[in-house]
């Protein structure tokens, strides 16, 4: 796609403004990362993306409007230099940006992560000059370009599971003079040809820490990734790899989420009404309401991840006033229904799903509601376990 003649000049001005804003927010404390943000032309990596409309369609679906220089130059360029995640693909379908169309709903499968989070991820990984780095999830290539600008292209390897995405990212990177090692590969298995790495940083989330990433990190090296699951609970962890191949590290606070690695995405579970059909007629009063893990608060964001550790194969959805839980692995199910000020729960199957979640919430309250950074993840031959001194140990799913 051809860029307007004034694009580079306008882009440089907007880059400086974005860097100033990020610095004021305390994101760009490191002069090296600030220089990278001021240098890398983000607009080259996002020739087209979708922005949410301020209205929904008749079915209540989010309407996504395409943004390109041809459609609306000002809107496209200002969005490119906003601290916003820009969705570039839905449901694995590659858009035709020469003739883009409005979308209704859909699951985002590729994006350009908001610049403040990209810089935060690189900084949290404690990357230094001379470190060899593996990035999982090239996406548009913008974050890769920042790492190349900061560290030099020769120390950066980036992998992407979608070959079409990687082709576009490679073209943008090479046009800007960056030459990292690029490969189509599944992040679940890292990238052995360039191992071992001093730092591995994932721009997607995993249900559990992939063993290959531990094996491909030098002793003393660090892995920064986001853990997720089928309840859409998230937590970031910074692991340090030991000489014996184990790894350990704390959770990092904040409400950061990433798209799941495609092999770790939640399976479809069907019609919630079918799951509810065999539940017992009698109900009991729930000890905790579902708002404990669904509210728009940092604590609920943290608790949703802890609850997910207790029922790793469960999924949750709300239909009207009823909250449904379904476990596609064991066939267990539960519903929560509000009656006046009381939530009632019905559940059956090998696992009492809400009962397990209640146990975690109760232990969390009894421990004084500990902050995320008091939890440490231990990865070793026997499994992966989340530990906090005052709470029971919580396992992650087996790799």
């Amino acid at each position: 796609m051809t860029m307007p003649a004034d694009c580079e000049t306008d882009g440089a001005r907007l880059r400086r403004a974005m860097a100033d804003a990020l610095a004021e927010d305390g994101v760009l404390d490191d002069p090296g990362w600030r220089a990278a943000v001021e240098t890398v032309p983000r607009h080259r990596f996002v020739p087209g993306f979708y922005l949410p409309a301020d209205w929904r369609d008749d079915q209540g679906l989010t309407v996504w409007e395409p943004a390109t220089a041809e459609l609306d130059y000002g809107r496209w360029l200002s969005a490119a230099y906003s601290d916003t995640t820009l969705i570039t693909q839905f449901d694995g379908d590659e858009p035709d940006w020469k003739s883009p169309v409005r979308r209704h709903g859909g699951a985002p499968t590729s994006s350009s992560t908001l610049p403040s989070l990209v810089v935060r991820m690189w900084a949290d990984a404690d990357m230094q000059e001379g470190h060899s780095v593996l990035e999982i999830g090239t996406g548009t290539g913008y974050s890769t370009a920042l790492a190349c600008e900061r560290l030099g292209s020769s120390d950066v390897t980036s992998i992407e599971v979608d070959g079409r995405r990687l082709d576009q990212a490679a073209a943008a990177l090479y046009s800007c003079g960056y030459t990292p090692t690029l490969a189509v590969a599944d992040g679940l298995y890292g990238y052995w040809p360039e191992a071992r790495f001093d730092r591995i940083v994932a721009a997607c989330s995993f249900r559990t820490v992939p063993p290959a990433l531990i094996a491909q990190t030098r002793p003393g090296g660090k892995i920064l990734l986001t853990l997720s699951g089928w309840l859409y609970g998230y937590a970031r962890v910074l692991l340090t790899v030991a000489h014996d191949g184990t790894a350990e590290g704390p959770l990092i606070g904040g409400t950061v989420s990433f798209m799941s690695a495609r092999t770790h995405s939640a399976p479809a579970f069907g019609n919630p009404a079918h799951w509810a059909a065999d539940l017992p007629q009698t109900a009991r009063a729930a000890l905790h309401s579902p708002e404990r893990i669904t509210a728009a608060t940092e604590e609920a964001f943290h608790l949703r991840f802890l609850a997910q550790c207790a029922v790793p194969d469960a999924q949750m959805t709300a239909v009207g006033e009823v909250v449904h839980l379904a476990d596609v692995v064991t066939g267990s199910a539960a519903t929560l229904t509000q009656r006046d000020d009381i939530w009632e729960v019905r559940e059956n199957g090998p696992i009492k799903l809400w009962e397990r979640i209640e146990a975690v919430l109760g232990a969390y309250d009894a421990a004084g509601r500990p902050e995320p950074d008091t939890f440490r993840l231990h990865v070793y031959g026997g499994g992966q376990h989340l530990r906090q001194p005052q709470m029971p140990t919580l396992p992650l799913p087996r790799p």
Side-chain angles (χ1 to χ4, degrees):
M1 298 171 67
T2 303
M3 297 292 178
D6 295 334
C7 192
E8 297 308 319
T9 301
D10 293 339
R13 172 177 53 81
L14 291 172
R15 271 198 305 283
R16 289 191 295 270
M18 183 175 72
D20 288 341
L22 295 179
E24 289 178 7
D25 291 340
V27 176
L28 288 179
D29 295 333
D30 185 312
W33 286 117
R34 173 157 188 161
V37 170
E38 290 180 341
T39 301
V40 175
R42 192 187 188 202
H43 68 271
R44 298 258 203 107
F45 296 88
V46 286
F49 48 84
Y50 293 97
L51 296 173
D54 56 6
W55 53 280
R56 290 177 177 264
D57 68 12
D58 294 340
Q59 295 180 312
L61 298 174
T62 300
V63 176
W64 295 93
E65 297 178 333
T68 67
E70 288 80 3
L71 289 172
D72 188 333
Y73 171 69
R75 185 186 191 213
W76 164 76
L77 193 62
S78 62
Y81 288 106
S82 65
D83 191 30
T84 306
T85 293
L86 304 173
I87 306 299
T88 55
Q89 186 192 78
F90 286 90
D91 303 319
D93 298 328
E94 195 62 33
D96 177 6
W97 291 116
K98 293 180 180 179
S99 302
V101 296
R102 180 181 286 162
R103 290 194 60 104
H104 293 248
T109 47
S110 189
S111 66
S112 177
T113 303
L114 66 161
S116 62
L117 179 53
V118 172
V119 173
R120 180 178 167 189
M121 291 286 287
W122 289 133
D124 284 347
D126 189 27
M127 293 194 330
Q128 305 293 332
E129 285 80 359
H131 280 163
S132 59
V133 176
L134 172 64
E135 176 190 39
I136 297 173
T138 312
T140 65
Y142 174 67
S143 61
T144 317
L146 289 175
C148 290
E149 183 66 33
R150 181 71 170 83
L151 302 176
S153 296
S154 62
D155 287 326
V156 178
T157 298
S158 186
I159 60 175
E160 168 64 46
V161 71
D162 187 330
R164 297 168 301 175
R165 290 275 86 209
L166 190 67
D167 286 343
Q168 294 179 35
L173 285 161
Y174 298 155
S175 73
C176 293
Y178 302 116
T179 56
T181 298
L182 300 173
V184 176
D186 189 332
L188 193 65
Y189 305 103
Y191 196 61
W192 278 107
E194 296 294 319
R196 294 187 172 185
F197 301 98
D198 295 298
R199 297 291 186 270
I200 295 180
V201 177
C204 59
S205 62
F206 296 96
R207 295 184 74 204
T208 189
V209 181
L213 303 188
I214 305 290
Q216 292 174 29
T217 303
R218 290 192 178 98
K222 297 181 180 181
I223 302 171
L224 179 67
L225 53 76
T226 301
L227 299 170
S228 63
W230 296 349
L231 283 183
Y232 297 102
Y234 297 89
R236 286 197 307 153
V237 63
L238 181 61
L239 296 168
T240 300
V241 176
H243 286 273
D244 60 1
T246 62
E248 177 184 341
L251 299 188
I252 301 174
T255 54
V256 172
S257 60
F258 278 104
M259 298 174 193
S260 294
R262 297 190 186 185
T263 47
H264 279 197
S265 296
F269 64 89
N271 187 335
H274 296 167
W275 289 86
D278 294 329
L279 291 174
Q281 295 300 310
T282 57
R284 65 172 177 85
L287 300 179
H288 299 274
S289 77
E291 283 100 336
R292 289 291 306 272
I293 62 174
T294 60
T297 65
E298 285 204 23
E299 183 181 64
F301 189 90
H302 175 46
L303 282 176
R304 196 177 182 102
F305 177 73
L306 299 183
Q308 181 176 270
C309 292
V311 287
D313 299 320
Q315 298 180 65
M316 181 169 60
T317 189
V319 179
E321 301 298 319
V322 181
V323 176
H324 294 261
L325 288 162
D327 181 333
V328 300
V329 176
T330 67
S332 303
T335 61
L336 290 116
T337 307
Q338 190 170 18
R339 310 287 186 192
D340 298 322
D341 294 331
I342 298 174
W343 282 88
E344 294 180 344
V345 58
R346 296 184 299 142
E347 53 190 339
N348 69 0
I351 297 174
K352 299 299 184 285
L353 299 175
W354 193 248
E355 185 176 305
R356 283 199 179 182
I357 292 175
E358 287 176 327
V360 171
L361 298 179
Y364 170 80
D365 292 340
R369 301 189 172 188
E371 295 292 325
D373 60 7
T374 66
F375 291 78
R376 294 185 70 83
L377 181 64
H378 298 255
V379 181
Y380 52 99
Q384 303 183 16
H385 290 84
L386 190 63
R387 293 174 178 152
Q388 203 281 339
Q390 280 76 48
M391 286 189 62
T393 297
L394 293 170
L396 265 62
R398 297 288 297 183

